[in-house]
Each structure stands twice: as C-alpha cells, then as structure tokens.
Amino acid sequence: MSTKNDNVDQENLEQNENIDTNQEVINEGAEGQEVVEEEEELDEMGLLTRENEQLKTDLGESKNKFIRLFAEFDNYKKRSAKERVETVQTAGKKVILDFLPVMDDFERALKTNIAENEAEHNEGFVLIHQKLKRILENHGVVGMGSQGTDFNPDLHDAISEIEAGEEMKGKVVDVIEEGYYMNDIIIRHAKVVVGR
C-alpha cells in the first residue's frame, strides 16, 4: 500500500508540477501578449503621430496657398479699380486728340492776326481761344507750357536744333506744336526746337 500511496503522491506531485509549469507558461504567454499589445499601441501611437504631423504640414501648405491666392485677388481688385479710374479719366481721349490739331491751327491764326495787327478781329479770336482752352481744362486737358524749359525727351519731340546762345543751350527755344496732359497723363508730346 505504501507503494500505491507513494505512486499516488508521486502522481499528485507530478500533476502539481505540471500545473505550476502550465501556470508559468500561461503567465509567460500573458506577459508576451502584454508586450505585443504594448508594441502594437506604440506602433499605433507612432502612426497617429506621423499622421498628425502630415496633417499639420498639409494644413500649413493650404494656409500658405490661401494667403497667396487672397493676395493675388486683392492685387487684381486694386489693378482693376485703377484701370477703371484711368479709363474714365481718359474716356474722351480720342475725341480730344482729334480736336487738338484744330486748336493748334486756331492758335497759329491768332498769332498771325496779332502779328499783322488786325485789331478788329483779335478780340473775338482771343475770346474764342480762351473759351476753347477752358473747355479743354474742364475735361482735364492742360498744355505743357514747354517754352523756355529744359529739353526733356520724355515730354518733348525735338524737331530741330538752332544756335541760341549760352543761356538757351539745351532748352526749348520754340514750340511748334504744344504738348498736352489729360489728367496728368501725357496725351501728346510737344514738338519743339532746341537750342544748342
């Protein structure tokens, strides 16, 4: 009997050892599973962090594109408004340019009348000339007044040069055709004779 009891004890001991071994394997498996779960969480956190950084980068690029587009649109609006103002200011430019040669002819006729001393006609010509000038000025058209000023190729077209003495060197000696501004924009350059 004692062998039988010894065998039973032996079996119980082996079973207890097996249970302990199984318990250790389960514990080791659970610890391994926790490690795997932690690694998966870290991988998921890393993935979320990278995704977050990518979204921040994309957002920054989108903001930059928006700001540039807004600035472009704002510049377009300003440019369009400026062009509209210029269009309104110079709306009658073509008609006025067609009218300027008539004004030139009238001024030449007035000078001729004054030179020939035809007094009875001069007063009427002077009044008509002043009225024409006022009408042009009301539309923003003013003469350059180039006589005696320094020659400026941006404003004047030199027709010829003449000897004019030291004080008139490089200056406008005579104006053949008056230059005009319309609302501070040159609509016709003055044709002048320059002293040398």
Side-chain angles (χ1 to χ4, degrees):
M1 208 152 199
S2 96
T3 40
K4 216 180 196 189
N5 280 341
D6 286 337
N7 282 341
V8 170
D9 285 338
Q10 184 79 19
E11 281 179 23
N12 285 339
L13 191 59
E14 284 177 8
Q15 283 179 355
N16 283 341
E17 283 177 9
N18 282 342
I19 290 174
D20 287 341
T21 306
N22 286 340
Q23 200 59 298
E24 285 177 15
V25 168
I26 290 172
N27 286 342
E28 285 177 11
E31 286 176 12
Q33 188 174 359
E34 286 176 13
V35 169
V36 168
E37 286 176 6
E38 284 179 19
E39 287 177 2
E40 285 176 1
E41 284 180 26
L42 288 176
D43 286 345
E44 192 174 318
M45 286 296 284
L47 183 64
L48 289 174
T49 303
R50 277 181 289 195
E51 189 177 316
N52 188 23
E53 289 173 4
Q54 181 64 38
L55 289 173
K56 284 181 182 178
T57 304
D58 292 346
L59 179 63
E61 289 174 3
S62 295
K63 280 183 180 179
N64 191 18
K65 285 180 184 176
F66 172 75
I67 289 170
R68 289 178 189 271
L69 186 62
F70 183 77
E72 268 184 46
F73 182 68
D74 192 44
N75 290 339
Y76 167 76
K77 285 189 336 187
K78 289 176 184 175
R79 189 172 50 248
S80 295
K82 182 180 175 185
E83 288 172 357
R84 269 182 276 155
V85 167
E86 287 176 0
T87 301
V88 168
Q89 286 179 340
T90 59
K93 179 180 175 182
K94 184 172 178 3
V95 173
I96 289 174
L97 282 173
D98 290 342
F99 183 70
L100 289 179
V102 175
M103 182 74 163
D104 294 334
D105 292 341
F106 190 82
E107 287 175 351
R108 283 188 208 104
L110 184 61
K111 285 180 186 177
T112 303
N113 274 348
I114 291 173
E116 293 177 2
N117 201 13
E118 295 185 20
E120 68 266 6
H121 301 294
N122 288 347
E123 188 176 329
F125 281 132
V126 169
L127 290 174
I128 293 169
H129 182 257
Q130 288 173 349
K131 190 171 186 177
L132 288 173
K133 274 187 113 167
R134 264 196 312 275
I135 290 170
L136 289 174
E137 287 171 359
N138 289 339
H139 290 283
V141 179
V142 292
M144 287 183 181
S146 300
Q147 184 78 34
T149 62
D150 289 334
F151 175 74
N152 182 345
D154 293 331
L155 304 175
H156 307 121
D157 290 336
I159 301 299
S160 67
E161 285 185 324
I162 61 169
E163 292 295 331
E166 204 52 44
E167 71 266 355
M168 291 301 285
K169 186 175 185 178
K171 294 189 184 266
V172 175
V173 176
D174 191 20
V175 178
I176 306 298
E177 202 173 82
E178 182 68 53
Y180 288 94
Y181 295 104
M182 183 175 189
N183 298 317
D184 298 326
I185 298 170
I186 297 172
I187 60 171
R188 187 174 83 177
H189 292 84
K191 292 186 173 132
V192 298
V193 177
V194 181
R196 60 177 146 147

